[in-house]
Amino acid sequence: MSGKELDRRLALAAAGGSPRTLARRRAEGRMSARERIEALCDPGTFTELDTLVRSRADGSGGGGGAEAARPYGDGLICGHGQIGGRPVCVFSQDVSVFGGSLGEAFGGKIIKVMELAMRVGCPIIGINDSGGARIQEGVTALARYAEYGRLNIQASGVIPQISMIMGSCAGGAAYSPALTDVTVMVDETSHMFVTGPDVVRSVTGEDVTLEELGGARHNAAAGTAHYVATDEADALDWVQCLLGFLPDNALSTPPSYPRPGRSGGSSRDDLTAADRALDRLVPDSAGGLLDVRKVLDAVLDDGDLLEFQELFAGNIVCGLGRVDGESVGVVANQSAVSAGVLDIDASEKAARFVRFCDAFNIPILTFVDVPGYLPGLDQERRGIIRRGAKLLFAYGEATVPMVTVVLRKAYGGGYAVMGSKHIGADINLAWPTAEIAVMGATGAVEVLHRRELRAAGTGPEAEQLRARLTADYERTALSPYAAAERGFIDAVIQPHETRARIRAGLLSLRGKRPVQHLGRHNNMPL
């Protein structure tokens, strides 16, 4: 076969599918499948695989057929390249070919590139834009969904898996992104759901729009999407940034990006403006709000935090940052939202993030300001015991370096679960404003001294007694010094010392190694 024939076939593959679909997508500000890969990877580094793969079935469901019925590539572009000079494997679904629907050959290409990523030990990025299973190919399409879902499971915790939803991702296709580590969606143009509006309407009678059912903001509020991009370029930029925090695989370490000039010292003379700002952050009263993002701004390099699931469970903040150029994962109670209480959503969000960091050798920084678990009938009925235990389990099984700072409240089970010394944290620090106890002073006094208070009745003398008992409790049982005396807190530090102590702690923990699990695997309370 001549070289001209090869060029002809490659040209057909590169042209994509329906010109009308491509033109409409461009008018909507969307890229083609190939353009997305080219924008994601370093220029000139992407090498395509399986360019000439074709479906075994024609468009009508029979065998054979013309090239138009069996286009080269079969609606999927896949291969390997580099991002930031590091290897990655990528696949991108082409909606202009059979609506991006998955058939046997299409699914086989995904499986092949995923297996390559696992053998090489590099991240896999899937760009999803598909109409779902290819109806003409029947059960073979369904089999491929199951097969590459199984590969997602095998790759979990071995290589970073990132899903980008750049169009539709419906039905069985939605479960693969749910199995990956991070899912990115684009506002107003991405949709992900198990059943579409028509099916919902016919089965339940609910009248919902595509955006209400599976839009990016809906999925972010449901905890499915980790980031909602403003457009496709923003989504691609975010993924490029994310990879800079991650290792190639579970056996390697994240890349280091030293940034001199933001070290922060342990003495007053070495303090940065950000360090000094921490001393002014603490509210005058225990009930005042402390925006934990301002703490993170002072502690992390350049104040940069790549936040996960910002629109989901805002009472806890999770994200990636750097300290002295080294990747760290941050879990922080946000008292500015629902007082930072731990509820079902916050527990599951943080548990998933802690396990993600632990899988990929990323140290965990925990900032505690928690009044405990959220009480109430609704939470109990929805399973706060079982689902809240996930966070305890995640911290308890983590093997990476863990540094915890108690900023203010650390009450009840919230103290225990948020990276306490007792579940395996390596270094535990507390600000002088920390309150570590079963409950706050007001509630504790009412329980411990209820007979005395009842006998005092009401009036000025009763209020003086209540104030004295509260002050005694705060001094003896609520302050961080009681925990420090028992070794539960390694040091009580001034807020301006926070960054320097975290730096020193992380440096001392670089040699930490995991202890091998003796059983087949653990049994997380799912």
Side-chain angles (χ1 to χ4, degrees):
M1 188 175 289
S2 68
K4 289 184 179 180
E5 178 62 17
L6 173 60
D7 292 341
R8 185 186 72 83
R9 295 185 183 218
L10 292 176
L12 286 171
S18 167
R20 180 180 298 178
T21 300
L22 290 171
R24 177 171 54 83
R25 286 301 183 98
R26 286 198 175 91
E28 295 171 351
R30 306 197 207 186
M31 305 178 194
S32 70
R34 194 173 298 277
E35 288 169 342
R36 288 165 176 166
I37 290 181
E38 291 172 350
L40 180 64
C41 294
D42 298 344
T45 64
F46 179 68
T47 299
E48 187 173 354
L49 302 175
D50 287 341
T51 309
L52 300 179
V53 163
R54 301 169 70 190
S55 172
R56 293 178 177 84
D58 63 22
S60 64
E67 285 178 331
R70 298 174 56 232
Y72 294 106
D74 199 42
L76 187 89
I77 301 167
C78 65
H80 54 85
Q82 294 181 4
I83 297 177
R86 298 165 58 205
V88 295
C89 285
V90 186
F91 66 83
S92 182
Q93 298 170 351
D94 189 350
V95 74
S96 73
V97 178
F98 298 148
S101 60
L102 181 143
E104 183 180 9
F106 180 118
K109 291 177 67 173
I110 293 178
I111 292 168
K112 187 173 180 178
V113 76
M114 288 180 66
E115 289 175 337
L116 175 64
M118 292 175 67
R119 287 197 302 271
V120 172
C122 71
I124 178 78
I125 304 165
I127 303 176
N128 296 266
D129 189 0
S130 170
R134 194 172 300 172
I135 298 173
Q136 299 92 323
E137 298 195 28
V139 70
T140 56
L142 301 180
R144 287 304 197 202
Y145 273 132
E147 287 167 3
Y148 86 77
R150 184 168 182 259
L151 270 182
N152 286 134
I153 297 167
Q154 292 175 348
S156 182
V158 178
I159 56 173
Q161 300 182 80
I162 301 167
S163 294
M164 304 184 71
I165 314 301
M166 303 290 253
S168 180
C169 184
Y175 288 106
S176 176
L179 292 171
T180 60
D181 299 301
V182 180
T183 299
V184 178
M185 299 185 72
V186 180
D187 198 15
E188 297 184 350
T189 62
S190 296
H191 300 97
M192 182 165 56
F193 43 75
V194 175
T195 52
D198 292 340
V199 176
V200 170
R201 191 177 300 111
S202 66
V203 173
T204 70
E206 295 175 285
D207 192 7
V208 294
T209 67
L210 198 64
E211 192 67 25
E212 290 171 337
L213 185 64
R217 292 189 175 274
H218 161 81
N219 276 287
T224 310
H226 293 76
Y227 180 68
V228 176
T230 55
D231 54 29
E232 292 195 358
D234 180 37
L236 295 165
D237 288 344
W238 195 87
V239 169
Q240 290 169 335
C241 183
L242 168 65
L243 288 171
F245 290 97
L246 305 181
D248 293 335
N249 54 66
L251 298 180
S252 59
T253 56
S256 179
Y257 300 94
R259 297 183 181 183
R262 183 68 202 281
S263 61
S266 57
S267 71
R268 273 282 179 185
D269 295 336
D270 296 329
L271 296 179
T272 67
D275 292 324
R276 293 190 180 94
L278 288 175
D279 290 331
R280 302 189 295 271
L281 279 182
V282 182
D284 294 333
S285 66
L289 300 180
L290 172 62
D291 186 349
V292 78
R293 287 188 178 86
K294 293 181 179 179
V295 177
L296 305 182
D297 183 64
V299 170
L300 301 175
D301 290 354
D302 300 325
D304 289 338
L305 176 72
L306 191 75
E307 189 166 349
F308 281 28
Q309 298 174 296
E310 184 177 358
L311 302 180
F312 175 64
N315 39 328
I316 201 158
V317 175
C318 299
L320 297 171
R322 293 189 180 93
V323 174
D324 285 356
E326 305 291 338
S327 292
V328 293
V330 173
V331 179
N333 302 116
Q334 175 58 294
S335 68
V337 178
S338 303
V341 70
L342 285 174
D343 56 12
I344 287 171
D345 288 345
S347 298
E348 293 186 334
K349 171 182 173 178
R352 173 74 169 170
F353 183 75
V354 166
R355 300 192 91 218
F356 169 72
C357 292
D358 189 51
F360 294 112
N361 299 316
I362 301 173
I364 298 167
L365 302 183
T366 304
F367 296 88
V368 185
D369 187 5
V370 60
Y373 278 95
L374 179 64
L377 180 61
D378 176 68
Q379 289 284 301
E380 295 291 351
R381 283 181 171 173
R382 290 172 55 202
I384 185 66
I385 296 173
R386 171 178 53 85
R387 296 165 74 179
K390 295 178 185 181
L391 184 55
L392 180 66
F393 198 101
Y395 269 111
E397 72 168 354
T399 61
V400 294
M402 291 191 286
V403 178
T404 298
V405 184
V406 182
L407 308 177
R408 295 196 306 167
K409 304 180 298 296
Y411 295 162
Y415 160 72
V417 72
M418 287 295 297
S420 68
K421 179 73 70 178
H422 322 289
I423 61 170
D426 301 291
I427 296 174
N428 293 72
L429 310 170
W431 286 2
T433 50
E435 299 179 350
I436 304 172
V438 174
M439 62 177 68
T442 301
V445 166
E446 293 295 335
V447 172
L448 296 173
H449 302 282
R450 59 181 176 274
R451 291 183 180 177
E452 192 175 352
L453 291 171
R454 189 181 300 116
T458 59
E461 292 185 0
E463 290 305 314
Q464 290 176 5
L465 173 62
R466 182 175 278 101
R468 178 176 61 79
L469 292 172
T470 300
D472 289 344
Y473 184 84
E474 289 175 345
R475 184 181 65 257
T476 59
L478 203 62
S479 80
Y481 304 109
E485 288 173 2
R486 290 166 174 79
F488 301 159
I489 294 294
D490 297 308
V492 179
I493 63 172
Q494 295 294 346
H496 66 256
E497 299 178 86
T498 305
R499 177 174 166 85
R501 294 299 292 257
I502 287 174
R503 292 175 58 232
L506 291 174
L507 186 62
S508 71
L509 293 169
R510 283 186 179 176
K512 184 179 179 182
R513 294 292 179 267
V515 177
Q516 187 66 37
H517 191 273
L518 296 179
R520 292 172 64 89
H521 57 76
N522 53 40
N523 187 22
M524 189 178 190
L526 298 173

